[in-house]
Amino acid sequence: MITYPSEVEAADALRQAYQRIRAEIGKVIVGQDEVVKSVLISVFSNGHCLLVGVPGLAKTLLVQTVAQVLDLHFNRVQFTPDLMPSDIIGAEILGEDRNFKFIRGPIFANIILADEINRTPPKTQAALLEAMQEKAVTAAGVTHKLEQPFFVLATQNPIEQEGTYPLPEAQLDRFMFNVALNYPSFAEELQVVKNTTSTIKPQVNKIIGAEQIVYFQHLVRNIPVTDHVLEYAVRLVAKTRPQGEMATPQVKRLLNWGAGPRASQFLILGAKCHAVISGKYSPDIEDVQAVAKPILRHRIVRSYHAEAEGLSTDQIIEQLF
């Protein structure tokens, strides 16, 4: 069992592990610093992550590399229109002894890559809901616990919408982060092409394992938070609700719907983890703001006025700061 003499030393160990993990991932993934940081914060906060970007931005490679560095069991599920729930969670089959036995699906892993999650019908998307929220799946009335730690890292293409099924709000809300991937800079793309068009394959080292990740997840939850930071996070979420008493006239005009209480919870958890990996032992308002955009951008719905004015969700969130 992993233990440290004090929580301060444990926090230092998490920060050092984070830096080593970043260095290993950097051998394969060029740039995308904020994306990598968001994915690792979601891992240490025990949350799920939705990666949104056009094809070719190394979304799948990033998830595979994270699984390698963290020494976790990894499964990839390619979501297609004909994918069934049993293809994800598994199914009961009649064995040779004429007894039914449960054959586990790919969901039984530590890291699940749900590739192009919006290309499968809602019935199959819903198969992930219980697993993401309860860390368990139910088949034939029997509940099967999933091995810890457990994360769903899903990818989505924001451009090609033909033949896609938009994720329901209930499932979007299960994702801690909605991370937007952008094109690399010229220098970064130059390095990517140089690295991927030769015979040299970078070797990444395993930094930490499942037991240590679970320990760090408990550590993040034990990080103390002052009342004014808690109040700031909750007030920030409350400001997104146009029907609420804290909404400004601008919010009422620009938003049709705001974020729910889960956003407040994720803001605090994310701020705690962000503080620790930044060398602090308690989060402040800057840590809340650092994680606010990927936590809120998929939980607020813009109005016609915002769309007509060309305001993105990120710009509206910045106004709330």
Side-chain angles (χ1 to χ4, degrees):
M1 183 178 177
I2 297 172
T3 57
Y4 292 92
S6 67
E7 288 197 351
V8 170
E9 292 189 32
D12 289 338
L14 171 54
R15 178 171 51 83
Q16 292 166 8
Y18 168 79
Q19 292 171 346
R20 292 170 61 202
I21 292 167
R22 285 288 299 267
E24 288 300 313
I25 294 174
K27 293 179 181 179
V28 179
I29 304 297
V30 178
Q32 304 289 11
D33 291 337
E34 288 302 313
V35 175
V36 173
K37 178 190 281 188
S38 295
V39 169
L40 293 179
I41 288 176
S42 70
V43 166
F44 290 123
S45 302
N46 200 14
H48 308 289
C49 199
L50 179 64
L51 304 173
V52 181
V54 298
L57 295 183
K59 299 185 292 294
T60 303
L61 181 61
L62 169 61
V63 178
Q64 291 174 334
T65 306
V66 168
Q68 283 182 310
V69 175
L70 299 183
D71 194 18
L72 296 175
H73 181 201
F74 165 78
N75 275 335
R76 173 183 176 179
V77 181
Q78 186 66 48
F79 279 67
T80 55
D82 60 347
L83 195 72
M84 298 295 291
S86 58
D87 296 327
I88 299 175
I89 64 175
E92 283 201 331
I93 65 169
L94 189 63
E96 294 178 357
D97 57 357
R98 296 193 175 275
N99 290 322
F100 283 98
K101 60 179 179 180
F102 180 67
I103 302 299
R104 294 185 168 195
I107 197 76
F108 288 89
N110 298 120
I111 293 184
I112 303 298
L113 170 57
D115 217 356
E116 300 212 61
I117 190 172
N118 59 330
R119 291 207 169 275
T120 200
K123 181 179 180 180
T124 307
Q125 291 174 1
L128 281 175
L129 282 176
E130 183 186 10
M132 293 173 67
Q133 185 65 26
E134 306 298 335
K135 306 298 174 70
V137 296
T138 302
V142 179
T143 299
H144 304 269
K145 287 289 183 183
L146 297 173
E147 184 181 350
Q148 296 301 311
F150 173 76
F151 316 102
V152 173
L153 301 178
T155 68
Q156 187 171 308
N157 176 3
I159 296 178
E160 189 181 0
Q161 297 302 320
E162 185 177 349
T164 62
Y165 304 83
L167 288 176
E169 298 300 325
Q171 186 160 337
L172 273 176
D173 198 46
R174 257 79 173 174
F175 287 101
M176 179 177 184
F177 282 151
N178 179 330
V179 182
L181 284 82
N182 297 314
Y183 289 110
S185 66
F186 178 81
E188 289 171 346
E189 189 165 352
L190 201 63
Q191 189 63 43
V192 168
V193 174
K194 183 178 179 181
N195 292 351
T196 56
T197 56
S198 68
T199 57
I200 300 173
K201 298 294 183 183
Q203 297 295 318
V204 296
N205 300 310
K206 297 176 173 61
I207 302 300
I208 59 176
E211 185 181 359
Q212 203 163 6
I213 292 172
V214 172
Y215 177 87
F216 285 146
Q217 288 174 346
H218 289 299
L219 171 69
V220 167
R221 284 190 168 268
N222 286 331
I223 298 295
V225 185
T226 58
D227 287 343
H228 83 279
V229 174
L230 276 170
E231 290 172 5
Y232 178 82
V234 175
R235 186 179 297 113
L236 183 63
V237 173
K239 284 180 180 179
T240 67
R241 301 165 187 161
Q243 302 85 1
E245 57 185 22
M246 291 190 182
T248 63
Q250 183 79 335
V251 165
K252 292 179 179 178
R253 192 174 69 87
L254 296 177
L255 295 180
N256 285 337
W257 205 256
R262 192 178 275 122
S264 302
Q265 297 167 354
F266 283 147
L267 277 177
I268 292 299
L269 277 175
K272 285 181 176 185
C273 188
H274 188 274
V276 173
I277 65 176
S278 302
K280 295 180 281 189
Y281 301 110
S282 181
D284 53 28
I285 288 175
E286 289 180 356
D287 294 303
V288 175
Q289 292 178 345
V291 297
K293 286 182 182 178
I295 288 176
L296 294 176
R297 66 165 58 111
H298 57 302
R299 293 183 164 89
I300 61 177
V301 179
R302 292 179 300 162
S303 69
Y304 166 78
H305 299 288
E307 293 182 7
E309 294 173 21
L311 287 175
S312 67
T313 53
D314 285 5
Q315 289 173 317
I316 297 172
I317 294 167
E318 285 178 1
Q319 291 180 15
L320 296 174
F321 291 165

PDB file of all heavy atoms in Angstrom, residues 235-247:
ATOM      1  N   ARG A 235     -20.677  30.576  -7.286  1.00  0.00           N
ATOM      2  CA  ARG A 235     -21.265  31.796  -7.846  1.00  0.00           C
ATOM      3  C   ARG A 235     -21.021  31.857  -9.350  1.00  0.00           C
ATOM      4  O   ARG A 235     -21.896  32.287 -10.113  1.00  0.00           O
ATOM      5  CB  ARG A 235     -20.665  33.025  -7.155  1.00  0.00           C
ATOM      6  CG  ARG A 235     -21.332  34.339  -7.568  1.00  0.00           C
ATOM      7  CD  ARG A 235     -20.739  35.540  -6.840  1.00  0.00           C
ATOM      8  NE  ARG A 235     -20.967  35.451  -5.410  1.00  0.00           N
ATOM      9  CZ  ARG A 235     -19.999  35.282  -4.521  1.00  0.00           C
ATOM     10  NH1 ARG A 235     -18.749  35.183  -4.924  1.00  0.00           N
ATOM     11  NH2 ARG A 235     -20.266  35.234  -3.242  1.00  0.00           N
ATOM     12  N   LEU A 236     -19.840  31.422  -9.790  1.00  0.00           N
ATOM     13  CA  LEU A 236     -19.525  31.428 -11.221  1.00  0.00           C
ATOM     14  C   LEU A 236     -20.503  30.552 -11.995  1.00  0.00           C
ATOM     15  O   LEU A 236     -20.986  30.927 -13.069  1.00  0.00           O
ATOM     16  CB  LEU A 236     -18.085  30.927 -11.434  1.00  0.00           C
ATOM     17  CG  LEU A 236     -17.555  30.920 -12.872  1.00  0.00           C
ATOM     18  CD1 LEU A 236     -17.500  32.335 -13.441  1.00  0.00           C
ATOM     19  CD2 LEU A 236     -16.178  30.272 -12.925  1.00  0.00           C
ATOM     20  N   VAL A 237     -20.818  29.379 -11.447  1.00  0.00           N
ATOM     21  CA  VAL A 237     -21.779  28.478 -12.097  1.00  0.00           C
ATOM     22  C   VAL A 237     -23.179  29.072 -12.052  1.00  0.00           C
ATOM     23  O   VAL A 237     -23.923  29.028 -13.036  1.00  0.00           O
ATOM     24  CB  VAL A 237     -21.745  27.085 -11.433  1.00  0.00           C
ATOM     25  CG1 VAL A 237     -22.858  26.201 -11.984  1.00  0.00           C
ATOM     26  CG2 VAL A 237     -20.391  26.416 -11.655  1.00  0.00           C
ATOM     27  N   ALA A 238     -23.541  29.651 -10.904  1.00  0.00           N
ATOM     28  CA  ALA A 238     -24.883  30.238 -10.765  1.00  0.00           C
ATOM     29  C   ALA A 238     -25.096  31.380 -11.760  1.00  0.00           C
ATOM     30  O   ALA A 238     -26.211  31.597 -12.247  1.00  0.00           O
ATOM     31  CB  ALA A 238     -25.091  30.737  -9.341  1.00  0.00           C
ATOM     32  N   LYS A 239     -24.043  32.099 -12.094  1.00  0.00           N
ATOM     33  CA  LYS A 239     -24.150  33.210 -13.049  1.00  0.00           C
ATOM     34  C   LYS A 239     -24.495  32.743 -14.462  1.00  0.00           C
ATOM     35  O   LYS A 239     -24.941  33.537 -15.282  1.00  0.00           O
ATOM     36  CB  LYS A 239     -22.837  33.990 -13.095  1.00  0.00           C
ATOM     37  CG  LYS A 239     -22.590  34.903 -11.908  1.00  0.00           C
ATOM     38  CD  LYS A 239     -21.256  35.627 -12.082  1.00  0.00           C
ATOM     39  CE  LYS A 239     -20.969  36.556 -10.932  1.00  0.00           C
ATOM     40  NZ  LYS A 239     -19.653  37.230 -11.101  1.00  0.00           N
ATOM     41  N   THR A 240     -24.254  31.444 -14.761  1.00  0.00           N
ATOM     42  CA  THR A 240     -24.534  30.943 -16.108  1.00  0.00           C
ATOM     43  C   THR A 240     -26.007  30.632 -16.318  1.00  0.00           C
ATOM     44  O   THR A 240     -26.407  30.340 -17.448  1.00  0.00           O
ATOM     45  CB  THR A 240     -23.719  29.658 -16.393  1.00  0.00           C
ATOM     46  OG1 THR A 240     -24.185  28.589 -15.556  1.00  0.00           O
ATOM     47  CG2 THR A 240     -22.236  29.877 -16.157  1.00  0.00           C
ATOM     48  N   ARG A 241     -26.798  30.655 -15.250  1.00  0.00           N
ATOM     49  CA  ARG A 241     -28.213  30.257 -15.344  1.00  0.00           C
ATOM     50  C   ARG A 241     -29.086  31.481 -15.586  1.00  0.00           C
ATOM     51  O   ARG A 241     -29.314  32.286 -14.678  1.00  0.00           O
ATOM     52  CB  ARG A 241     -28.641  29.552 -14.060  1.00  0.00           C
ATOM     53  CG  ARG A 241     -27.802  28.303 -13.768  1.00  0.00           C
ATOM     54  CD  ARG A 241     -27.963  27.815 -12.350  1.00  0.00           C
ATOM     55  NE  ARG A 241     -27.020  26.739 -12.063  1.00  0.00           N
ATOM     56  CZ  ARG A 241     -26.669  26.355 -10.834  1.00  0.00           C
ATOM     57  NH1 ARG A 241     -27.197  26.955  -9.774  1.00  0.00           N
ATOM     58  NH2 ARG A 241     -25.797  25.380 -10.667  1.00  0.00           N
ATOM     59  N   PRO A 242     -29.596  31.643 -16.819  1.00  0.00           N
ATOM     60  CA  PRO A 242     -30.366  32.853 -17.139  1.00  0.00           C
ATOM     61  C   PRO A 242     -31.640  32.990 -16.317  1.00  0.00           C
ATOM     62  O   PRO A 242     -32.156  34.095 -16.159  1.00  0.00           O
ATOM     63  CB  PRO A 242     -30.683  32.683 -18.634  1.00  0.00           C
ATOM     64  CG  PRO A 242     -30.483  31.240 -18.925  1.00  0.00           C
ATOM     65  CD  PRO A 242     -29.450  30.754 -17.972  1.00  0.00           C
ATOM     66  N   GLN A 243     -32.139  31.873 -15.769  1.00  0.00           N
ATOM     67  CA  GLN A 243     -33.351  31.946 -14.953  1.00  0.00           C
ATOM     68  C   GLN A 243     -33.026  32.244 -13.480  1.00  0.00           C
ATOM     69  O   GLN A 243     -33.931  32.472 -12.676  1.00  0.00           O
ATOM     70  CB  GLN A 243     -34.134  30.630 -15.026  1.00  0.00           C
ATOM     71  CG  GLN A 243     -34.552  30.206 -16.425  1.00  0.00           C
ATOM     72  CD  GLN A 243     -33.464  29.448 -17.161  1.00  0.00           C
ATOM     73  OE1 GLN A 243     -32.385  29.215 -16.629  1.00  0.00           O
ATOM     74  NE2 GLN A 243     -33.753  29.062 -18.412  1.00  0.00           N
ATOM     75  N   GLY A 244     -31.731  32.233 -13.118  1.00  0.00           N
ATOM     76  CA  GLY A 244     -31.335  32.403 -11.725  1.00  0.00           C
ATOM     77  C   GLY A 244     -31.243  33.855 -11.297  1.00  0.00           C
ATOM     78  O   GLY A 244     -31.173  34.769 -12.125  1.00  0.00           O
ATOM     79  N   GLU A 245     -31.179  34.051  -9.987  1.00  0.00           N
ATOM     80  CA  GLU A 245     -31.161  35.412  -9.451  1.00  0.00           C
ATOM     81  C   GLU A 245     -29.805  36.100  -9.633  1.00  0.00           C
ATOM     82  O   GLU A 245     -29.712  37.328  -9.550  1.00  0.00           O
ATOM     83  CB  GLU A 245     -31.503  35.379  -7.957  1.00  0.00           C
ATOM     84  CG  GLU A 245     -30.590  34.503  -7.122  1.00  0.00           C
ATOM     85  CD  GLU A 245     -31.019  34.404  -5.673  1.00  0.00           C
ATOM     86  OE1 GLU A 245     -32.207  34.653  -5.390  1.00  0.00           O
ATOM     87  OE2 GLU A 245     -30.162  34.072  -4.841  1.00  0.00           O
ATOM     88  N   MET A 246     -28.736  35.326  -9.874  1.00  0.00           N
ATOM     89  CA  MET A 246     -27.399  35.920 -10.040  1.00  0.00           C
ATOM     90  C   MET A 246     -27.082  36.236 -11.495  1.00  0.00           C
ATOM     91  O   MET A 246     -26.022  36.791 -11.788  1.00  0.00           O
ATOM     92  CB  MET A 246     -26.321  34.987  -9.477  1.00  0.00           C
ATOM     93  CG  MET A 246     -26.340  34.847  -7.990  1.00  0.00           C
ATOM     94  SD  MET A 246     -24.888  33.963  -7.366  1.00  0.00           S
ATOM     95  CE  MET A 246     -25.262  33.937  -5.613  1.00  0.00           C
ATOM     96  N   ALA A 247     -27.972  35.893 -12.408  1.00  0.00           N
ATOM     97  CA  ALA A 247     -27.706  36.130 -13.834  1.00  0.00           C
ATOM     98  C   ALA A 247     -27.774  37.619 -14.143  1.00  0.00           C
ATOM     99  O   ALA A 247     -28.683  38.325 -13.707  1.00  0.00           O
ATOM    100  CB  ALA A 247     -28.713  35.365 -14.680  1.00  0.00           C
TER     101      ALA A 247
END
